[in-house]
Amino acid sequence: MSYKQNAASNRDALFGNSGNSSKAKKSSKAKPAAQGATTKNPKTSMGYQYRSKEKKTPVKPGLVGEEKAAKLKEAKALQDKAKKCLQKGLFSKPDPLSASTYFKRAADDFQKCGEFRLERFNRMNSADCQLQVGAYATAALEYTRAAELIADDPNETLETKQHVSRDLHLKSAEAWRTANERAKAAASQVKAALTLIDGDESRALSGDVLMAIEEAIEAHVPDPLNPYSRYRQTGSSVFINAASGETAQNPSMETLELAKQQIVTEAYAHESVQEVVYLLVSYNEYASALYCAGAATALLSEGGVATLSLSRAFLAETILTLAMGDPIAAEENFLQRHVQKSSYLTSRECKFAEELFRAVKSRDDEQLDEVRSSKGTNRAAIGNLHECLRVLVGMIQTNGSARKATSKDSSSKKAERKRTPKDKQSPKHDSSKKSERKQTPKDSDTSSNIASGDWAELSSAKTGYEKEAQDGDAIDENALQDELDALDFGNDDSSVDDDSVDLR
């Protein structure tokens, strides 16, 4: 008897006859696909993919019919018990511990029934009771769930959703902070800031939103440890004592030591910061985005471990600095901070960053286009960037801050490349240049506002003086000269010597 037969007999002796199950297993084998049917490819790795925070899981339908009615009755009974536990009697005192349990069970039942408004109220009551008994982690989770519920409530106004949801996320952050969970507290603070733009279709961030975002970033990395703290747009650091004269760039030893104790050291804490960077880039807030990018690199550099994520974060800093139109600062940070990591020197991100700021610094448009080309040697480094950073790389200009390139800009570049050398230009072209120099200040201001893409169109347009130019070409120059010689201006004494005339 073989080994497999012995194992099968032992299994049958212990767990009963498995003949039926073996038949079922044989029948459950994959059958050959029918003709015309498409076979699904196995799941392959797609690399890093950006997942927006706006994507939400679909809401499951609740109970219906008699089951829903019974569950609602049970939930209301639990709610009444919770309220009774909070009452003060002659021989009893409020019991928030029991009340929090009843409120939570009632909220779970309302969730099963699809009554999300009632669930939200019970979650909030349960969290308030749990704070009183010191269950800070559970209270934070309940506040977060309540904030998500009000954000999805279609019956509430946009303003109510934003402010109530923000208050609940801030309460959750405070509960996490009390439980000594700095990473979760900072993440909740980021969520609280982002609720202020939830549902807002405006393409500009208000000062309050920007202040809330930057305060949430400092909850991750204090400003004394952020290499780009000078780019903070609103408020000031809570770690800096303005009366003592210290700054975020030049803090005291005590402040620096306190900041090192408060930095978030948990794994994956940088992900919420990078989400904020991508958001600010989409709103063209490059200075605040650079401030957040500095916080991300500070988190990734904590512990002295150099990873691929750190290399990409360094590249993001270079791109944002160039987007602000400052290649000198990009080169300075590249030399003083980035290349100090030996692993970054051998990365493709380092090569791309160096070629990028050198092209911008030399004001070479052709070299810049070659560096950021999708078919060039830097295509892998560009492909690993986030979508918004890839778009921002295409917007970088050799002069000024980043801006969107129009079709007129591309046509002007082609026209400039096709221009003839100066020694082959016609005399008419020289005369047109002289006429351009004689423009009035008003005309020069108007011409400065014209986009560079309009030059090709303006060169082919008619000025309205073509007929007069043709009439001027038809004049007989010899006849005109004879007429001028025949003119008699009187007192034409050719004997007067020029030296005898006193010009004083």
Side-chain angles (χ1 to χ4, degrees), residues 47 54 135 158 224 250 267 336 356 392 413 495-496:
E54 296 179 358
L158 179 61
N250 188 22
Q336 295 182 0
L356 193 62
L392 186 59
K413 287 183 180 180
S495 63
V496 178

Side-chain angles (χ1 to χ4, degrees), residues 31 83 170 189 212 227 281 297 325 357 361 370 438 467:
K31 298 181 180 179
K83 292 180 180 179
L170 289 177
Q189 199 166 346
V281 171
T297 53
F357 74 73
K361 186 179 178 181
E370 182 180 356
K438 295 180 180 179
K467 186 177 180 181

Side-chain angles (χ1 to χ4, degrees), residues 126-176:
S126 175
D128 293 339
C129 294
Q130 286 163 353
L131 283 180
Q132 298 180 23
V133 298
Y136 300 109
T138 310
L141 293 175
E142 295 295 329
Y143 279 132
T144 303
R145 173 60 181 169
E148 294 174 353
L149 288 173
I150 192 172
D152 296 335
D153 193 351
N155 298 323
E156 299 289 349
T157 62
L158 179 61
E159 185 178 358
T160 302
K161 287 182 181 181
Q162 291 177 348
H163 291 284
V164 176
S165 180
R166 181 172 184 268
D167 291 341
L168 291 173
H169 278 302
L170 289 177
K171 289 182 178 179
S172 176
E174 186 63 28
W176 284 123

Side-chain angles (χ1 to χ4, degrees), residues 146-363:
E148 294 174 353
L149 288 173
I150 192 172
D152 296 335
D153 193 351
N155 298 323
E156 299 289 349
T157 62
L158 179 61
E159 185 178 358
T160 302
K161 287 182 181 181
Q162 291 177 348
H163 291 284
V164 176
S165 180
R166 181 172 184 268
D167 291 341
L168 291 173
H169 278 302
L170 289 177
K171 289 182 178 179
S172 176
E174 186 63 28
W176 284 123
R177 195 174 292 108
T178 307
N180 200 23
E181 292 285 350
R182 292 196 300 270
K184 295 180 180 179
S188 296
Q189 199 166 346
V190 170
K191 292 179 181 178
L194 297 183
T195 53
L196 295 176
I197 59 175
D198 189 13
D200 191 0
E201 298 180 356
S202 175
R203 296 308 305 162
L205 294 178
S206 63
D208 295 337
V209 176
L210 208 56
M211 179 180 292
I213 289 176
E214 291 178 344
E215 288 177 354
I217 296 302
E218 192 181 11
H220 288 83
V221 179
D223 282 359
L225 301 179
N226 191 333
Y228 293 98
S229 58
R230 64 184 179 277
Y231 290 99
R232 183 171 180 173
Q233 301 297 299
T234 60
S236 59
S237 175
V238 296
F239 293 87
I240 299 301
N241 184 11
S244 62
E246 61 180 354
T247 61
Q249 292 78 30
N250 188 22
S252 61
M253 295 299 297
E254 294 80 5
T255 302
L256 194 60
E257 188 65 27
L258 178 61
K260 290 180 180 179
Q261 295 176 3
Q262 296 299 321
I263 188 173
V264 175
T265 57
E266 283 77 359
Y268 307 108
H270 66 280
E271 293 184 353
S272 59
V273 178
Q274 288 179 334
E275 291 289 338
V276 177
V277 174
Y278 305 147
L279 172 72
L280 292 173
V281 171
S282 64
Y283 280 93
N284 299 331
E285 294 287 346
Y286 301 135
S288 297
L290 187 57
Y291 168 74
C292 299
T297 53
L299 291 174
L300 291 169
S301 302
E302 187 68 19
V305 179
T307 61
L308 182 59
S309 299
L310 179 60
S311 299
R312 294 173 182 173
F314 281 155
L315 177 57
E317 288 183 359
T318 303
I319 293 172
L320 289 170
T321 309
L322 293 176
M324 296 176 60
D326 194 352
I328 305 300
E331 182 180 14
E332 181 181 354
N333 284 281
F334 177 83
L335 296 175
Q336 295 182 0
R337 293 180 53 249
H338 299 173
V339 297
Q340 302 306 318
K341 296 285 185 181
S342 57
S343 60
Y344 184 65
L345 285 171
T346 59
S347 64
R348 62 189 66 174
E349 286 79 13
C350 179
K351 172 182 175 296
F352 178 47
E354 183 177 5
E355 293 179 356
L356 193 62
F357 74 73
R358 288 190 184 279
V360 176
K361 186 179 178 181
S362 61
R363 296 181 179 271

Side-chain angles (χ1 to χ4, degrees), residues 471-498:
D471 295 341
D473 295 337
I475 296 176
D476 188 359
E477 296 182 359
N478 295 327
L480 182 59
Q481 186 64 36
D482 294 339
E483 292 181 4
L484 292 174
D485 294 340
L487 293 177
D488 184 13
F489 295 95
N491 296 329
D492 187 9
D493 189 3
S494 59
S495 63
V496 178
D497 190 5
D498 294 339

Side-chain angles (χ1 to χ4, degrees), residues 2-195:
S2 65
Y3 166 76
K4 292 184 179 180
Q5 291 176 347
N6 286 332
S9 61
N10 292 334
R11 185 174 62 250
D12 295 342
L14 291 173
F15 305 105
N17 187 11
S18 60
N20 297 331
S21 61
S22 62
K23 291 181 181 179
K25 290 180 181 179
K26 292 181 180 179
S27 61
S28 63
K29 290 183 178 180
K31 298 181 180 179
Q35 295 182 357
T38 58
T39 59
K40 295 182 178 180
N41 295 328
K43 187 177 291 186
T44 58
S45 176
M46 301 298 291
Y48 175 79
Q49 289 183 340
Y50 171 68
R51 294 175 177 84
S52 175
K53 294 297 183 181
E54 296 179 358
K55 294 183 179 179
K56 298 173 183 177
T57 56
V59 180
K60 297 182 180 180
L63 301 175
V64 293
E66 296 180 357
E67 295 181 354
K68 180 178 180 179
K71 188 63 69 174
L72 283 175
K73 185 177 180 181
E74 180 182 353
K76 290 180 180 178
L78 291 171
Q79 188 177 2
D80 293 338
K81 289 182 180 179
K83 292 180 180 179
K84 188 175 181 180
C85 290
L86 294 177
Q87 293 178 357
K88 183 178 181 180
L90 184 61
F91 298 102
S92 63
K93 60 181 181 179
D95 185 7
L97 180 60
S98 300
S100 65
T101 304
Y102 287 131
F103 277 128
K104 189 178 186 305
R105 291 173 58 188
D108 293 338
D109 290 343
F110 282 126
Q111 181 181 8
K112 295 177 182 178
C113 297
E115 298 291 338
F116 301 111
R117 185 180 178 85
L118 295 175
E119 179 194 357
R120 169 163 55 94
F121 292 142
N122 283 274
R123 298 282 183 197
M124 294 168 62
N125 292 332
S126 175
D128 293 339
C129 294
Q130 286 163 353
L131 283 180
Q132 298 180 23
V133 298
Y136 300 109
T138 310
L141 293 175
E142 295 295 329
Y143 279 132
T144 303
R145 173 60 181 169
E148 294 174 353
L149 288 173
I150 192 172
D152 296 335
D153 193 351
N155 298 323
E156 299 289 349
T157 62
L158 179 61
E159 185 178 358
T160 302
K161 287 182 181 181
Q162 291 177 348
H163 291 284
V164 176
S165 180
R166 181 172 184 268
D167 291 341
L168 291 173
H169 278 302
L170 289 177
K171 289 182 178 179
S172 176
E174 186 63 28
W176 284 123
R177 195 174 292 108
T178 307
N180 200 23
E181 292 285 350
R182 292 196 300 270
K184 295 180 180 179
S188 296
Q189 199 166 346
V190 170
K191 292 179 181 178
L194 297 183
T195 53

